[in-house]
């Protein structure tokens, strides 16, 4: 299952980042962006995440998936459109210089901690 290996790599990214930041507290939410072109099914990713997170510091965290539509742009006629699959040629002019504007995204964009540990040495207010 493709989503399972994606979930595992997302989790290891988050765990590394938490360690680097010396973050404490339970992770309540993990935010990820999933581009249409990434081939990842958000619902399957959520299930895989729950399985892969079991036993780790992310167990029970909610995976919040932001889906990014596949948007293509034609350099020849300057047309930009939402596609369901990556076309190699422009639907409008047949131009072959079509670039992917968005839809390749796949990664962690943020984490919500349930309780934020106070940062030492910083006055409040
Ligand atoms: Zn075109």
């Amino acid at each position: 299952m493709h989503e399972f290996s994606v979930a595992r790599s997302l989790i290891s990214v988050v765990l590394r980042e938490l360690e680097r930041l010396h973050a404490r507290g339970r992770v309540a939410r993990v935010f990820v962006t999933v581009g249409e072109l990434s081939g990842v099914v958000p619902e399957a990713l959520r299930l895989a995440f729950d399985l892969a997170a079991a036993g780790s510091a992310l167990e029970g965290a909610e995976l919040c998936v932001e889906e990014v539509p596949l948007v293509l742009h034609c350099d020849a006629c300057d047309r930009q459109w939402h596609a369901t699959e990556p076309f190699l040629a422009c639907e409008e002019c047949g131009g072959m210089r079509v670039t992917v504007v968005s839809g390749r995204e796949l990664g962690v964009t943020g984490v919500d901690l349930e309780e934020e540990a106070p940062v030492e040495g910083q006055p409040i207010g």
Side-chain angles (χ1 to χ4, degrees):
M1 186 166 145
H2 176 55
E3 279 78 7
F4 195 75
S5 63
V6 171
R8 284 227 305 230
S9 72
L10 292 176
I11 287 166
S12 69
V13 165
V14 172
L15 292 178
R16 260 205 312 273
E17 194 63 10
L18 292 176
E19 196 172 323
R20 194 175 69 82
L21 298 169
H22 305 290
R24 276 168 288 179
R26 210 181 71 84
V27 174
R29 274 173 293 274
V30 175
F31 298 90
V32 297
T33 49
V34 172
E36 248 178 341
L37 198 54
S38 68
V40 169
V41 180
E43 198 45 51
L45 183 62
R46 269 190 284 266
L47 291 172
F49 179 85
D50 287 347
L51 287 174
S56 81
L58 298 184
E59 180 165 358
E62 184 193 347
L63 189 72
C64 301
V65 179
E66 187 202 342
E67 294 176 64
V68 181
L70 172 60
V71 175
L72 302 179
H73 178 262
C74 173
D75 291 347
C77 69
D78 209 30
R79 183 169 171 260
Q80 193 160 302
W81 71 102
H82 173 223
T84 48
E85 51 184 293
F87 296 105
L88 291 172
C90 173
E91 288 177 313
E92 195 68 28
C93 71
M96 297 294 277
R97 284 166 59 203
V98 173
T99 53
V100 175
V101 178
S102 72
R104 284 192 210 272
E105 296 80 354
L106 183 60
V108 179
T109 53
V111 167
D112 260 0
L113 296 179
E114 205 145 76
E115 46 194 293
E116 274 182 47
V119 180
E120 258 177 74
Q122 266 203 8
I124 297 164

